[in-house]
């Protein structure tokens, strides 16, 4: 085996958002290391700063993709808005994470806030979260399409007494509704000391591991909580110690989280590597001509996209896992049947890998991908069709009829000089398509064939420069 190409995973976007929010709500100064520098995280920091926190840059990484920050928490630990006539402008741009997490957190503050963003954001639903928040006192008004941003929040904080400290909330469309309310929960009921219990309802719970990351963040910042499940005897049972870390899924009607009121505790924290961003790099090892070693990944991470390891193994990829790195070797891939409800961000990557595999790949339980930055069920189908891959969109996923690496590579090599691909204004579509450029004998520079290569700045600004090291 040839020596592997060595690359470092970007910082976790999910944890960067959560750590910035928690540090902004803490009583005092926190230090955050290795925070992802991307459009999405910049939106979160800007809104938190406008609401009263202070962020001071200490250092940037060599490529400018991560930074260290000193954060002074908001006075009183509460976001401060403005007046109904001139509400605080909170531009989330295209960041769904910023929108959902901060809608809940800002609703726990004081004053008026206007949540708005790019046109696509104004089509993405948030009513499930705002309905739950309205039960706790804030007044919320939608300016355009009902149930979607832009929206106005007028609040005097979250009060738990009126609902006896209990709020039902579903995760059929996004786990970020649940995570947002958990992040806001310590700020609720602080006057009366009534804890807030968030009960999981609805038909299904998508992307549960992201809620695990939220709980990890609450624990890191000193917030006390209890996770309870309904056992076989239909009795609520609190999970002891850190057993919540081992929950891989959650069942609506059978799980609830109770968060105690209190202040976030300042501290020093380092953001771990991002398994979502690393998925393209790991996939490069499987379909490229050289092994790829991705460093900076925690093997014990709670990130749901660590599922990429199991998916690659099931597809026949050869890989080696260490405590902080993964090496993937070029491999003959095969089609699989996979439920990706817990790791939906991996779907574009797996779809392209499936195109290079032999046989059929069925991706299931990801209907909510239609309301992401793009329709992530339709977009991969449209782009893979350009290189002769038949993809069947389904109600809850897609079926990819793999061609095998050799045939797919031949199709890519046969593209006309003026052939173009569309990123669909979606960073994950753009980065997953880059895998086509690493197939055997392919010299195509995918970046030059994309309508918007810069869209990767949403989560992985230095992606293309790092990708060149793999070619």
């Amino acid at each position: 085996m040839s020596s592997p190409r060595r690359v470092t995973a970007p910082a976790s976007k999910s944890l960067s958002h959560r750590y910035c929010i928690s540090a902004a709500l803490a009583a005092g100064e926190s230090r955050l290391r290795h925070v992802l520098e991307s459009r999405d995280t910049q939106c979160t920091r800007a809104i938190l700063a406008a609401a009263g926190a202070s962020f001071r840059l200490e250092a940037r990484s060599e490529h400018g993709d991560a930074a260290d920050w000193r954060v002074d928490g908001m006075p009183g630990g509460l976001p401060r808005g403005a007046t109904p006539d001139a509400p605080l402008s909170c531009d989330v741009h295209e960041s769904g994470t910023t929108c959902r997490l901060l809608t809940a957190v800002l609703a726990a503050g004081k004053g008026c806030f206007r949540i708005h963003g790019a046109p696509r954001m104004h089509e993405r639903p948030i009513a499930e979260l705002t309905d739950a928040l309205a039960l706790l006192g804030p007044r919320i008004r939608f300016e355009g399409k009902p149930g979607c941003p832009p929206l106005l929040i007028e609040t005097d904080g979250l009060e738990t007494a009126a609902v006896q400290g209990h709020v039902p909330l579903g995760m059929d469309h996004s786990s970020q509704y649940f995570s947002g309310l958990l992040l806001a929960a310590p700020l609720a009921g602080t006057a009366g000391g009534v804890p807030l219990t968030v009960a999981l309802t609805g038909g299904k719970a998508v992307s549960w591991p992201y809620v695990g990351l939220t709980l990890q963040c609450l624990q890191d910042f000193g917030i006390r909580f209890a996770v309870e499940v309904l056992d076989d005897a239909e009795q609520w049972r609190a999970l002891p110690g850190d057993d919540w870390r081992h929950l891989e899924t959650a069942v609506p009607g059978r799980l609830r989280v109770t968060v105690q009121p209190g202040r976030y505790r300042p501290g020093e924290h380092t953001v771990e590597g991002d398994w979502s961003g690393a998925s393209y790099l790991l996939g490069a090892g499987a379909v490229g001509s050289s092994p790829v070693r991705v460093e900076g990944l925690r093997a014990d991470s709670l990130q749901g996209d660590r599922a990429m390891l199991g998916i690659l193994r099931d597809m026949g990829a050869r890989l080696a896992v260490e405590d902080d790195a993964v090496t993937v070797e070029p491999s003959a891939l095969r089609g699989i049947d996979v439920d990706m409800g817990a790791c939906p961000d991996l779907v574009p990557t797996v779809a392209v890998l499936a195109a290079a595999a032999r046989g059929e790949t069925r991706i299931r339980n990801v209907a909510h991908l239609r309301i992401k930055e793009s329709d992530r069920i339709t977009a991969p189908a449209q782009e893979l069709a350009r290189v002769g891959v038949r993809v069947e969109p389904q109600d809850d996923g897609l079926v990819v009829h793999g061609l095998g690496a050799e045939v797919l590579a031949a199709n890519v090599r046969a593209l006309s000089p003026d052939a173009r691909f569309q990123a669909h204004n979606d960073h994950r579509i753009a980065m997953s398509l880059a895998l086509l450029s690493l197939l055997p004998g392919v010299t195509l520079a995918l970046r030059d064939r994309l309508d918007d290569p810069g869209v990767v700045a949403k989560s992985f600004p230095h992606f293309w420069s790092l990708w060149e090291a793999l070619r």
Side-chain angles (χ1 to χ4, degrees):
M1 182 181 74
S2 59
S3 298
R5 308 283 180 88
R6 293 173 177 262
V7 291
T8 301
S12 167
K13 184 163 79 80
S14 297
L15 283 172
S16 292
H17 283 294
R18 287 158 173 79
Y19 279 177
C20 284
I21 292 170
S22 299
L25 297 174
E29 183 184 85
S30 296
R31 187 180 183 190
L32 304 179
R33 299 184 180 89
H34 196 234
V35 177
L36 179 69
E37 289 291 284
S38 71
R39 286 179 188 165
D40 281 12
T41 54
Q42 288 166 3
C43 284
T44 292
R45 282 201 314 274
I47 294 171
L48 292 169
S54 172
F55 289 81
R56 302 192 307 280
L57 178 66
E58 281 198 311
R60 290 192 190 276
S61 64
E62 178 184 354
H63 298 288
D65 58 307
D68 298 345
W69 294 89
R70 286 193 181 274
V71 185
D72 290 317
M74 300 169 183
L78 291 175
R80 297 291 173 179
T83 65
D85 292 337
L88 184 69
S89 175
C90 303
D91 187 355
V92 303
H93 193 56
E94 294 181 331
S95 176
T97 306
T98 305
C99 183
R100 295 175 184 129
L101 299 188
L102 288 187
T103 291
V105 169
L106 296 176
K110 304 285 185 181
C112 296
F113 306 86
R114 181 174 183 263
I115 310 291
H116 60 102
R120 172 65 175 171
M121 185 56 60
H122 295 169
E123 299 173 0
R124 300 177 69 178
I126 198 170
E128 201 162 9
L129 173 60
T130 54
D131 286 349
L133 291 170
L135 295 175
L136 297 167
R139 294 166 296 284
I140 299 171
R141 179 168 63 86
F142 298 104
E143 293 183 334
K145 182 178 179 180
C148 298
L151 60 91
L152 291 169
I153 302 172
E154 187 174 351
T155 183
D156 196 35
L158 304 181
E159 288 300 329
T160 56
V163 294
Q164 290 78 50
H166 184 278
V167 171
L169 182 59
M171 283 171 45
D172 292 74
H173 298 109
S174 175
S175 65
Q176 291 169 354
Y177 302 153
F178 210 85
S179 284
L181 192 50
L182 290 180
L183 289 167
L187 313 182
T190 50
V194 179
L196 179 63
T197 296
V198 186
L200 178 60
T201 59
K204 64 178 182 178
V206 299
S207 306
W208 169 259
Y210 287 98
V211 178
L213 291 180
T214 303
L215 294 175
Q216 174 185 316
C217 189
L218 291 176
Q219 186 179 75
D220 288 347
F221 281 82
I223 299 299
R224 294 181 297 125
F225 61 86
V227 179
E228 296 176 278
V229 295
L230 202 60
D231 63 21
D232 294 339
E234 300 300 311
Q235 299 294 316
W236 286 105
R237 175 176 59 86
L239 298 179
D242 284 351
D243 281 9
W244 57 267
R245 290 178 173 270
H246 305 302
L247 282 177
E248 295 183 357
T249 59
V251 180
R254 306 190 72 86
L255 180 141
R256 64 190 186 188
V257 182
T258 299
V259 183
Q260 298 296 324
R263 290 294 302 271
Y264 281 75
R265 183 179 63 210
E268 297 191 5
H269 304 281
T270 300
V271 177
E272 65 182 72
D274 188 67
W275 281 90
S276 307
S279 70
Y280 318 105
L281 312 176
L282 297 170
V287 301
S289 57
S290 299
V292 174
R293 175 183 168 87
V294 185
E295 300 174 342
L297 292 174
R298 283 182 53 175
D300 63 346
S301 174
L302 291 180
Q303 294 179 55
D305 288 346
R306 189 169 60 90
M308 190 67 184
L309 294 178
I311 293 171
L312 284 169
R313 285 195 183 102
D314 290 345
M315 297 185 80
R318 294 172 293 166
L319 52 88
V321 181
E322 304 168 46
D323 288 344
D324 62 351
V326 179
T327 302
V328 183
E329 299 180 32
S331 308
L333 302 180
R334 57 177 175 266
I336 59 172
D337 187 303
V338 58
D339 182 335
M340 298 187 68
C343 53
D345 283 350
L346 297 180
V347 168
T349 311
V350 174
V352 177
L353 293 176
R358 291 186 179 277
E360 180 181 289
T361 293
R362 172 79 165 91
I363 297 172
R364 297 180 284 105
N365 197 25
V366 290
H368 56 295
L369 284 183
R370 294 193 184 277
I371 57 170
K372 292 286 190 176
E373 286 86 337
S374 70
D375 179 339
R376 287 186 183 162
I377 292 176
T378 301
Q382 291 180 349
E383 298 314 305
L384 289 172
R386 301 180 194 276
V387 288
V389 181
R390 184 162 66 95
V391 180
E392 300 176 61
Q394 308 286 308
D395 289 342
D396 76 332
L398 58 162
V399 177
V400 182
H401 297 272
L403 302 177
E406 297 81 5
V407 175
L408 182 60
N411 289 358
V412 175
R413 293 195 299 269
L415 287 170
S416 67
D418 60 347
R420 294 292 182 270
F421 292 88
Q422 293 182 15
H424 297 262
N425 196 36
D426 192 327
H427 55 135
R428 302 210 182 278
I429 299 299
M431 292 185 283
S432 64
L433 291 172
L435 289 165
L436 298 174
S437 67
L438 297 184
L439 291 164
V442 171
T443 58
L444 173 78
L446 202 289
R447 177 179 185 173
D448 297 336
R449 300 293 188 99
L450 271 176
D451 63 337
D452 183 13
V455 72
V456 301
K458 179 178 174 65
S459 65
F460 202 157
H462 73 300
F463 174 80
W464 295 115
S465 60
L466 187 150
W467 199 254
E468 284 303 309
L470 302 177
R471 287 174 52 80

Coordinates of all heavy atoms in Angstrom, one line a residue, residues 129-183:
L129 N -41.3 24.5 16.5 CA -40.5 25.1 17.5 C -41.2 26.3 18.1 O -41.4 26.5 19.3 CB -39.1 25.5 17.1 CG -38.3 26.3 18.0 CD1 -38.0 25.5 19.3 CD2 -36.9 26.7 17.4
T130 N -41.7 27.2 17.2 CA -42.3 28.4 17.7 C -43.6 28.1 18.4 O -44.0 28.9 19.4 CB -42.6 29.4 16.5 OG1 -43.3 28.8 15.5 CG2 -41.2 29.9 16.0
D131 N -44.3 27.1 18.1 CA -45.6 26.7 18.8 C -45.2 26.3 20.2 O -45.9 26.7 21.2 CB -46.3 25.5 18.1 CG -47.0 25.9 16.9 OD1 -47.1 27.2 16.6 OD2 -47.4 25.0 16.1
A132 N -44.1 25.6 20.4 CA -43.6 25.2 21.7 C -43.2 26.4 22.5 O -43.5 26.6 23.7 CB -42.5 24.2 21.6
L133 N -42.5 27.3 21.9 CA -42.0 28.5 22.6 C -43.2 29.4 23.0 O -43.2 30.0 24.1 CB -41.1 29.3 21.7 CG -39.7 28.7 21.4 CD1 -39.0 29.5 20.3 CD2 -38.9 28.7 22.6
A134 N -44.2 29.5 22.2 CA -45.4 30.3 22.5 C -46.1 29.8 23.8 O -46.7 30.6 24.5 CB -46.4 30.3 21.3
L135 N -46.0 28.5 24.1 CA -46.6 28.0 25.3 C -45.9 28.6 26.5 O -46.5 28.6 27.6 CB -46.5 26.5 25.3 CG -47.3 25.7 24.3 CD1 -46.9 24.2 24.4 CD2 -48.8 25.9 24.4
L136 N -44.7 29.1 26.4 CA -43.9 29.6 27.5 C -43.9 31.1 27.6 O -43.2 31.7 28.4 CB -42.4 29.1 27.3 CG -42.3 27.6 27.4 CD1 -40.9 27.1 26.9 CD2 -42.5 27.1 28.8
G137 N -44.7 31.7 26.8 CA -44.9 33.2 27.0 C -44.5 34.1 25.8 O -45.2 35.1 25.6
P138 N -43.5 33.8 25.0 CA -43.1 34.8 24.0 C -44.2 34.9 22.9 O -45.0 33.9 22.6 CB -41.9 34.1 23.3 CG -41.3 33.3 24.4 CD -42.5 32.8 25.2
R139 N -44.3 36.1 22.3 CA -45.3 36.4 21.3 C -44.5 36.3 20.0 O -43.6 37.1 19.8 CB -46.0 37.7 21.5 CG -46.8 37.7 22.8 CD -47.3 39.1 23.2 NE -46.1 39.9 23.6 CZ -45.5 39.8 24.8 NH1 -45.8 38.8 25.6 NH2 -44.5 40.6 25.1
I140 N -45.0 35.5 19.1 CA -44.3 35.3 17.8 C -45.2 35.5 16.6 O -46.3 35.1 16.6 CB -43.7 33.8 17.7 CG1 -42.7 33.6 18.9 CG2 -43.0 33.6 16.4 CD1 -42.3 32.2 19.1
R141 N -44.7 36.3 15.7 CA -45.5 36.7 14.5 C -44.7 36.4 13.2 O -43.6 36.9 13.1 CB -46.0 38.1 14.6 CG -46.8 38.6 13.4 CD -47.4 39.9 13.6 NE -46.5 41.0 13.8 CZ -45.9 41.7 12.9 NH1 -46.2 41.4 11.6 NH2 -45.1 42.7 13.1
F142 N -45.3 35.7 12.3 CA -44.7 35.5 11.0 C -45.0 36.6 10.1 O -46.1 37.0 9.9 CB -45.1 34.1 10.5 CG -44.8 32.9 11.3 CD1 -45.7 32.3 12.1 CD2 -43.5 32.5 11.4 CE1 -45.4 31.2 12.9 CE2 -43.1 31.4 12.2 CZ -44.1 30.8 13.0
E143 N -44.0 37.1 9.4 CA -44.1 38.2 8.5 C -44.6 37.8 7.1 O -45.2 38.6 6.4 CB -42.8 39.0 8.4 CG -42.4 39.7 9.6 CD -41.2 40.5 9.5 OE1 -40.4 40.2 8.6 OE2 -41.0 41.5 10.2
G144 N -44.2 36.6 6.7 CA -44.5 36.1 5.3 C -45.3 34.8 5.4 O -46.4 34.7 5.9
K145 N -44.7 33.8 4.9 CA -45.3 32.4 4.8 C -45.5 31.9 6.2 O -44.6 31.9 7.1 CB -44.4 31.5 4.1 CG -44.9 30.1 3.9 CD -43.9 29.2 3.1 CE -44.5 27.8 3.0 NZ -43.5 26.9 2.2
P146 N -46.7 31.5 6.6 CA -47.0 31.0 7.9 C -46.1 29.9 8.3 O -45.9 28.9 7.5 CB -48.5 30.6 7.9 CG -49.1 31.4 6.8 CD -48.0 31.6 5.7
G147 N -45.5 29.9 9.5 CA -44.7 28.8 10.0 C -43.3 28.9 9.5 O -42.5 28.0 9.8
C148 N -42.9 29.9 8.8 CA -41.5 30.1 8.3 C -41.0 31.5 8.6 O -41.8 32.4 8.8 CB -41.4 29.8 6.8 SG -42.0 28.2 6.3
P149 N -39.6 31.6 8.7 CA -39.1 33.0 8.8 C -39.5 33.8 7.5 O -39.8 33.1 6.5 CB -37.6 32.7 8.9 CG -37.5 31.3 9.3 CD -38.6 30.6 8.7
P150 N -39.4 35.1 7.6 CA -39.0 35.9 8.7 C -40.1 36.0 9.8 O -41.3 35.9 9.5 CB -38.8 37.3 8.1 CG -39.7 37.3 6.8 CD -39.7 35.9 6.3
L151 N -39.6 36.2 11.0 CA -40.6 36.2 12.1 C -40.1 37.2 13.2 O -38.9 37.5 13.3 CB -40.7 34.8 12.7 CG -39.5 34.1 13.3 CD1 -39.3 34.4 14.8 CD2 -39.5 32.6 13.1
L152 N -41.0 37.7 14.0 CA -40.8 38.6 15.0 C -41.0 37.9 16.4 O -42.1 37.2 16.5 CB -41.7 39.8 14.9 CG -41.4 40.8 13.7 CD1 -42.5 41.8 13.6 CD2 -40.1 41.5 13.9
I153 N -40.1 38.1 17.3 CA -40.3 37.6 18.7 C -40.3 38.8 19.6 O -39.4 39.6 19.6 CB -39.1 36.7 19.1 CG1 -38.9 35.5 18.1 CG2 -39.3 36.1 20.5 CD1 -37.7 34.7 18.3
E154 N -41.4 38.8 20.4 CA -41.5 39.8 21.5 C -41.6 39.0 22.8 O -42.5 38.2 23.0 CB -42.7 40.7 21.3 CG -42.8 41.9 22.3 CD -43.9 42.8 22.0 OE1 -44.5 42.7 20.9 OE2 -44.2 43.7 22.8
T155 N -40.6 39.2 23.7 CA -40.5 38.3 24.8 C -40.1 39.0 26.1 O -39.3 40.0 26.0 CB -39.5 37.2 24.5 OG1 -39.5 36.2 25.6 CG2 -38.1 37.7 24.2
D156 N -40.5 38.5 27.2 CA -40.1 38.9 28.5 C -39.5 37.6 29.2 O -39.5 37.6 30.4 CB -41.2 39.4 29.3 CG -40.7 40.2 30.5 OD1 -39.7 40.9 30.4 OD2 -41.4 40.1 31.6
G157 N -39.0 36.7 28.4 CA -38.4 35.5 28.9 C -39.4 34.3 28.8 O -40.5 34.4 28.4
L158 N -38.9 33.1 29.2 CA -39.7 31.9 29.2 C -40.2 31.6 30.6 O -39.4 31.5 31.5 CB -38.8 30.7 28.7 CG -38.2 30.9 27.3 CD1 -37.4 29.6 27.0 CD2 -39.3 31.2 26.2
E159 N -41.5 31.4 30.7 CA -42.1 31.1 32.0 C -42.6 29.6 32.0 O -43.4 29.3 31.2 CB -43.2 32.0 32.4 CG -42.7 33.4 32.7 CD -41.8 33.5 33.9 OE1 -41.9 32.6 34.8 OE2 -40.9 34.3 33.9
T160 N -42.2 28.8 33.0 CA -42.5 27.4 33.0 C -43.8 27.1 33.8 O -44.4 26.1 33.7 CB -41.4 26.6 33.6 OG1 -41.0 27.1 34.9 CG2 -40.1 26.7 32.7
A161 N -44.2 28.0 34.7 CA -45.3 27.8 35.6 C -46.6 27.5 34.9 O -47.3 26.6 35.3 CB -45.4 28.9 36.6
A162 N -46.8 28.3 33.9 CA -48.1 28.2 33.2 C -48.3 26.8 32.5 O -49.5 26.4 32.3 CB -48.2 29.3 32.1
V163 N -47.2 26.1 32.2 CA -47.4 24.8 31.6 C -46.9 23.7 32.6 O -46.6 22.6 32.2 CB -46.5 24.7 30.3 CG1 -47.1 25.6 29.2 CG2 -45.1 25.1 30.5
Q164 N -46.9 24.0 33.9 CA -46.4 23.1 34.9 C -45.1 22.5 34.6 O -44.8 21.3 34.9 CB -47.5 22.0 35.1 CG -48.7 22.4 35.8 CD -49.7 23.1 34.8 OE1 -50.0 22.6 33.7 NE2 -50.2 24.3 35.2
G165 N -44.2 23.3 33.9 CA -42.9 22.9 33.6 C -42.7 21.8 32.6 O -41.7 21.2 32.5
H166 N -43.7 21.7 31.7 CA -43.7 20.6 30.7 C -44.1 21.1 29.4 O -45.2 21.7 29.2 CB -44.7 19.5 31.2 CG -44.7 18.3 30.3 ND1 -45.5 18.2 29.2 CD2 -44.1 17.0 30.5 CE1 -45.3 17.0 28.6 NE2 -44.5 16.3 29.4
V167 N -43.3 20.8 28.4 CA -43.6 21.2 27.0 C -43.4 20.1 26.0 O -42.3 19.5 26.0 CB -42.7 22.4 26.5 CG1 -42.8 22.7 25.1 CG2 -43.0 23.7 27.3
P168 N -44.3 19.7 25.2 CA -44.1 18.7 24.2 C -43.5 19.2 23.0 O -43.8 20.4 22.6 CB -45.6 18.2 23.9 CG -46.4 19.4 24.2 CD -45.7 20.2 25.3
L169 N -42.6 18.5 22.3 CA -42.0 19.0 21.1 C -41.6 17.8 20.2 O -41.0 16.8 20.7 CB -40.8 19.8 21.5 CG -40.0 20.5 20.3 CD1 -40.9 21.4 19.5 CD2 -38.8 21.2 20.9
G170 N -41.9 17.9 19.0 CA -41.5 16.8 18.0 C -40.2 17.0 17.3 O -39.7 18.2 17.3
M171 N -39.7 16.0 16.7 CA -38.5 16.0 15.9 C -38.7 15.4 14.6 O -37.8 14.8 14.0 CB -37.3 15.3 16.7 CG -36.7 16.1 17.8 SD -35.6 15.2 18.8 CE -34.6 14.4 17.6
D172 N -39.9 15.4 14.0 CA -40.2 14.8 12.7 C -39.4 15.4 11.6 O -39.0 14.7 10.7 CB -41.7 14.9 12.4 CG -42.5 14.1 13.3 OD1 -42.7 14.5 14.5 OD2 -43.0 13.0 12.9
H173 N -39.1 16.7 11.7 CA -38.5 17.4 10.6 C -37.0 17.9 10.9 O -36.2 18.0 10.0 CB -39.3 18.7 10.2 CG -40.6 18.4 9.7 ND1 -41.8 18.7 10.4 CD2 -41.0 17.8 8.5 CE1 -42.8 18.3 9.7 NE2 -42.4 17.7 8.6
S174 N -36.8 18.1 12.2 CA -35.4 18.5 12.6 C -35.2 18.3 14.1 O -36.0 18.6 14.9 CB -35.3 20.0 12.3 OG -34.0 20.5 12.7
S175 N -34.0 17.8 14.4 CA -33.6 17.7 15.8 C -33.2 19.1 16.4 O -33.2 19.2 17.6 CB -32.4 16.8 15.9 OG -31.3 17.3 15.3
Q176 N -33.0 20.1 15.5 CA -32.6 21.4 16.0 C -33.7 22.1 16.8 O -33.4 22.9 17.6 CB -32.1 22.2 14.9 CG -30.8 21.7 14.3 CD -30.4 22.4 13.0 OE1 -31.2 23.2 12.4 NE2 -29.3 22.1 12.5
Y177 N -35.0 21.7 16.6 CA -36.0 22.3 17.4 C -35.8 21.9 18.9 O -35.8 22.7 19.8 CB -37.4 21.7 17.0 CG -37.8 22.0 15.5 CD1 -38.7 21.2 14.9 CD2 -37.3 23.1 14.8 CE1 -39.1 21.4 13.6 CE2 -37.7 23.4 13.5 CZ -38.6 22.5 12.9 OH -39.0 22.7 11.6
F178 N -35.5 20.6 19.1 CA -35.3 20.0 20.4 C -34.1 20.6 21.0 O -34.1 21.0 22.2 CB -35.3 18.5 20.3 CG -35.7 17.8 21.5 CD1 -37.1 17.5 21.7 CD2 -34.9 17.4 22.5 CE1 -37.5 16.8 22.8 CE2 -35.3 16.7 23.6 CZ -36.7 16.4 23.7
S179 N -33.0 20.7 20.2 CA -31.7 21.2 20.7 C -31.9 22.7 21.1 O -31.3 23.1 22.1 CB -30.6 21.0 19.7 OG -30.2 19.7 19.6
G180 N -32.6 23.4 20.3 CA -32.7 24.9 20.6 C -33.5 25.1 21.9 O -33.0 25.9 22.8
L181 N -34.5 24.3 22.2 CA -35.3 24.5 23.4 C -34.4 24.0 24.6 O -34.5 24.6 25.7 CB -36.6 23.7 23.3 CG -37.6 24.0 24.4 CD1 -37.8 25.5 24.6 CD2 -38.9 23.4 24.2
L182 N -33.6 22.9 24.4 CA -32.8 22.5 25.5 C -31.7 23.6 25.9 O -31.4 23.8 27.0 CB -32.0 21.2 25.1 CG -32.9 19.9 25.0 CD1 -32.0 18.7 24.6 CD2 -33.6 19.7 26.3
L183 N -31.2 24.3 24.9 CA -30.2 25.3 25.1 C -30.9 26.5 25.8 O -30.2 27.2 26.7 CB -29.6 25.8 23.8 CG -28.6 24.8 23.2 CD1 -28.3 25.2 21.7 CD2 -27.3 24.7 24.0

